[in-house]
Amino acid sequence: MVLIITIVHSLPLASAALWQQWLLISLAVGAMIAAVATCVRAGRSMTIPVQHLVEVAMAVKNGRAKHRASGKVAGEFRPLADALNQMIEARQRAEEKLKLAQESLELKVHARTVELWRANKALQEEMEQRAKAERELQQAQKMDALGKFAGSIAHDFNNLLTVILGGAECAMQHIRPESEAMQFVRSIWKAGESAAALTRPLLTFSRNEVREVAPLDLNQTVEETAMLVRRLIGVNIQVKLKLAPELPMIVANANQFQQVLVNLAVNARDAMEGSGTLTMATLHASVDPERQIRHEATSIDWVELRVSDSGCGMDTETKNRIFEPFFTTKPAGRGTGLGLATVFGIVKQAGGFLEVESEVGVGTTFRIFLPVPEEPVEIQAPEPIVTTTKDGRPSGGETILLVEDEDEIRELAVLMLEGKGYHVIPAPDAEKALILAEEHGSGIQALITDVVMPRISGVQLAEILAKKMPELRILFVSGHCRESIQPETLAENRAEYLQKPYRSDSLIAAVQQVLRS
């Protein structure tokens, strides 16, 4: 068409006529029609591929499954569709991997969270146990310090009371019974006995009291003490006994456990304000391993003594402090704070342990666990004291080396022993005793020595003399506990033990026991 128009325009103007103009118009119109027809055909041929590409693009955008190319699509669009399908597959695989990774991460985070929670809980429990252990250690250190202080005071008092009681007893032996002075001396002796009774709780609390243990029927002890308790706490409080039949025998001090029951009964009376029910029970108990570890208990078989009241009960803070010495919730003048501390000391000294259950407004229960000996024990009658030696000679003529660093006690003991016919060699300390032993040699039959002395103790002195004088009999005297001397030491030296303060008959009986052993 462009060529025709060019030829027409190149013809001379003269030859141009009207037909020429119409020809040009016709050609232009025809060309336009042909162009429009060509565009329409081209548009129709592109509709299907473009539509397919749009669908594929939307599928990629929406993440649907891959879109297959239509057969009508021109060949040049198929690679593009396949590439888009590969992109869809890659995206799906990536999404699946991401989902798996997210699930795995969530599981790991959950497991780690649980692990951290458990570790935190274990750490909190360990911190609580450590804090509890620290409190118990501080309490034990405080109790130990107070126990040593109480034991030291009781020891010094016992030295003084030995002189007071022994002097009064010797004076009564030399004064006529109808004499007016006898009444004053007896008053002094009774006051000394009362003072000695006051030192026993201190020794018990400090675990320094010499315990004369023996096979004990706990049921019988409870029954005998209950009669005293009924008179002590008043008629408005009902006392009930629940005693287990065929209860095993234990090894303990009967007087001490009567004191335990009386102290608990008095506390219960105050908690019930004079009206309520007090229950004393015994039973054959078992102790689980956890409780054994907590209380450092080693026995297999146990007896339980349970004392319950229907009183006001205690809160946790009070319950945690009831065994502290001098701690009391009673008004001034009504309590010393040593009652439960004494109970604690007696039970621990017997190898047992205590547990307390209490609730405000409900009542309190003390549970006392006591070990049962592995071998059955029987109550035996005490052997009578004889007044002859092992070879048949009357006792009272032997030579005794007496070592005591307290002058008054030494002089008093000399009077007691010489009054019974013994020959006494007194010494103020171990060094002087060694010199006297060298001088008298085998003429000394027995050694009476205080345990606690400066420089060389009584135990060390006994070991030295026992090697030089194998036939020497030994009697240890002290205001401290028998447990301060190893049992092997007593056995190897054929020794006995005498607790201060002692009376004349106690000293003579102990000497006779040593000489005839």
Side-chain angles (χ1 to χ4, degrees), residues 436-496:
L436 294 173
E438 289 289 342
E439 294 177 357
H440 293 80
S442 59
I444 300 175
Q445 284 79 41
L447 168 67
I448 302 177
T449 177
D450 192 8
V451 175
V452 180
M453 294 189 298
R455 297 180 296 279
I456 300 177
S457 70
V459 176
Q460 294 171 330
L461 173 63
E463 291 175 351
I464 295 172
L465 293 180
K467 294 179 181 178
K468 296 181 179 180
M469 308 165 64
E471 296 299 324
L472 185 68
R473 300 297 185 261
I474 299 169
L475 175 63
F476 291 111
V477 180
S478 178
H480 285 296
C481 62
R482 186 190 187 102
E483 286 78 3
S484 62
I485 303 178
Q486 296 295 331
E488 295 81 4
T489 302
L490 294 175
E492 291 173 0
N493 295 285
R494 302 177 298 278
E496 296 292 336

Side-chain angles (χ1 to χ4, degrees), residues 166-221:
E169 187 176 4
C170 290
M172 286 189 292
Q173 293 175 359
H174 293 81
I175 298 176
R176 292 176 301 179
E178 66 276 5
S179 173
E180 184 179 358
M182 178 62 76
Q183 298 179 1
F184 297 106
V185 175
R186 284 178 178 170
S187 298
I188 295 173
W189 186 82
K190 290 180 180 179
E193 284 288 338
S194 300
L198 291 176
T199 62
R200 292 193 187 102
L202 291 177
L203 287 172
T204 302
F205 161 66
S206 64
R207 303 184 199 176
N208 281 332
E209 184 180 17
V210 176
R211 297 184 303 121
E212 297 178 358
V213 297
L216 177 65
D217 184 347
L218 192 58
N219 283 344
Q220 181 180 354
T221 302

Side-chain angles (χ1 to χ4, degrees), residues 59-81:
V60 173
K61 179 179 179 182
N62 297 329
R64 296 196 302 269
K66 62 183 181 179
H67 195 87
R68 297 296 179 182
S70 173
K72 299 179 180 180
V73 180
E76 61 268 18
F77 292 105
R78 187 176 299 279
L80 179 60

